[in-house]
Each structure stands twice: as structure tokens, then as C-alpha cells.
Amino acid sequence: ETGVTQSPTHLIKTRGQQVTLRCSSQSGHNTVSWYQQALGQGPQFIFQYYREEENGRGNFPPRFSGLQFPNYSSELNVNALELDDSALYLCASSHRDRKYEQYFGPGTRLTVT
Amino acid sequence: DQQVKQNSPSLSVQEGRISILNCDYTNSMFDYFLWYKKYPAEGPTFLISISSIKDKNEDGRFTVFLNKSAKHLSLHIVPSQPGDSAVYFCAATSQGTASKLTFGTGTRLQVTL
């Protein structure tokens, strides 16, 4: 059984640029959620996708957007990067029937300079 | 507004002893609670969960207790092992939502020999 994978591992971007982060769900999981974890904080919910549609969103501005593909992989896009976007971005997958037990990938460390 | 609070940033316990990690929540709508463990450079790993219809759930060395009237839950690890050294996150959700998890800030557990 393949776990959740994310790419890239690390990324450095300049303020104002755009970034795309990628996630492959665990085998058999049809729901994907994205979280932002700032230093010293717990993960904060960005949004969730199920059947390729957004299925819930946290308190993040519209410049954070996402996609889910038919194979349940997912992308997180962030436009107009700000310094405060520097964080660890975590992807989590789950099965619709056990949606609260989310399985996380190792994360992408984004640094905005 | 921190809806899930872990007031102890760190805890040190001797190998073989009991580790008790605490978590408080303020949102009365939360009805499902989870504990995650996180090692450096890895994503959080699901440990154990509990529904608000129960007050205790056990899985091997891990037991979670829920006190709804106090809005408090705790994770007991018995006996503690050096491999348990990690950051532990408490998370909560409302089962009517899109499985958005609200996390605490984490407690770093160090199990010493």
C-alpha cells in the first residue's frame, strides 16, 4: 500500500510569485485535504476536495486554490506569494467512509523571500 | 482564537513510566477527537481517536480519555518507550462538517532512558 507522497520537498520563491504543490493520495483514498503548518503551530486547514470538487474551506484567501484529479491526486496553488506564506504545507488523504482519519504526507517546506 | 489548546509545550518522561498528554477545547460543536504523532521531517501520523459518545478508547499502549463536561481530553501512553519521543498533536472536528480538523499547537514528548 502506497502512502501519501508530496512534491517538491523544499521550495524557495520570491514574494509575488506563484507556486504549485503536488500530492498523491494513499491508495484507496478518495478525499484529499491541505493544511498549512507555520513554525511552532499546529496544522491549519486550507481546504478539502472530494470527487474533484472543493468540499470545505478554512480561513484562507482566494489566492489559495486547488485541484483534485480523477486519480485522486491533488494540487495546491498559491498566487501572489507573501512572506507569511512561508510554512510547511501538508496534504492528507482519507476514505470517505472514515474521513476523520486522515493520513498525511511528509509535507512541502515553502520559503518566501 | 485557539479552539484546541495544548498548554504544555513539552514533557519529559522516563522509559517504562506513563506519559499523559493533555488537550482542552472550547468549541461545543466538536464531537470527534484525534491524536497524531509527528517525527521530524515526516507528516503527522494518526494514532487514536474517540467519538463524543464514548469517554475512553484504547489501542495497545495508547488510551484516550474524554471529559465532555470539562471539554478536556488526554492521551495516556503506558509504558512509554524511547521511540515514542515525538511531537503529539490533538485534533478535533465536528462530524457534520467536511472533516476539517482543528489542531492544537502540539506537545513535544521526550522519553528518556
Side-chain angles (χ1 to χ4, degrees):
Chain A
E1 186 177 81
T2 309
V4 179
T5 60
Q6 292 186 242
S7 62
T9 307
H10 295 90
L11 202 51
I12 300 175
K13 288 286 190 177
T14 303
R15 190 172 49 183
Q17 285 187 316
Q18 178 265 342
V19 69
T20 297
L21 311 181
R22 294 180 174 83
C23 170
S24 291
S25 299
Q26 183 163 314
S27 176
H29 287 181
N30 53 16
T31 301
V32 65
S33 304
W34 285 90
Y35 292 80
Q36 179 196 67
Q37 186 179 11
L39 206 59
Q41 301 296 315
Q44 284 206 323
F45 177 76
I46 303 174
F47 44 54
Q48 181 183 88
Y49 279 81
Y50 171 66
R51 289 189 175 176
E52 302 174 53
E53 291 195 2
E54 190 178 286
N55 186 38
R57 190 178 182 91
N59 294 327
F60 282 81
R63 58 189 186 84
F64 285 78
S65 63
L67 284 173
Q68 185 184 31
F69 300 101
N71 66 355
Y72 304 128
S73 65
S74 176
E75 285 182 358
L76 164 65
N77 298 290
V78 187
N79 293 322
L81 284 167
E82 301 176 359
L83 297 178
D84 284 349
D85 296 333
S86 295
L88 180 69
Y89 288 85
L90 295 161
C91 167
S93 72
S94 56
H95 192 277
R96 184 69 171 175
D97 295 341
R98 297 182 69 84
K99 59 183 178 178
Y100 306 110
E101 294 172 13
Q102 299 183 13
Y103 293 81
F104 285 81
T108 294
R109 172 72 61 188
L110 172 66
T111 302
V112 182
T113 61
Chain B
D1 176 29
Q2 193 72 23
Q3 297 186 63
V4 177
K5 300 177 186 179
Q6 294 176 257
N7 292 319
S8 298
S10 63
L11 176 68
S12 183
V13 172
Q14 273 190 321
E15 182 181 11
R17 301 285 186 114
I18 183 171
S19 294
I20 300 176
L21 295 96
N22 294 304
C23 177
D24 297 295
Y25 62 95
T26 57
N27 189 336
S28 301
M29 299 301 292
F30 289 149
D31 56 10
Y32 197 83
F33 305 88
L34 307 93
W35 284 93
Y36 281 82
K37 176 171 73 173
K38 188 178 186 300
Y39 293 118
E42 294 184 13
T45 303
F46 169 73
L47 264 180
I48 191 168
S49 62
I50 188 167
S51 165
S52 60
I53 62 173
K54 296 185 176 181
D55 53 20
K56 177 182 173 181
N57 188 27
E58 275 183 272
D59 184 1
R61 297 186 298 114
F62 302 92
T63 303
V64 57
F65 295 92
L66 175 62
N67 182 333
K68 289 187 291 294
S69 60
K71 293 192 177 67
H72 177 84
L73 64 156
S74 60
L75 174 68
H76 292 209
I77 307 174
V78 185
S80 301
Q81 299 174 353
D84 296 330
S85 297
V87 178
Y88 288 78
F89 290 99
C90 168
T93 188
S94 172
Q95 295 192 60
T97 67
S99 61
K100 162 189 172 180
L101 296 180
T102 300
F103 283 85
T105 52
T107 296
R108 182 176 300 279
L109 173 65
Q110 178 86 29
V111 180
T112 59
L113 297 173

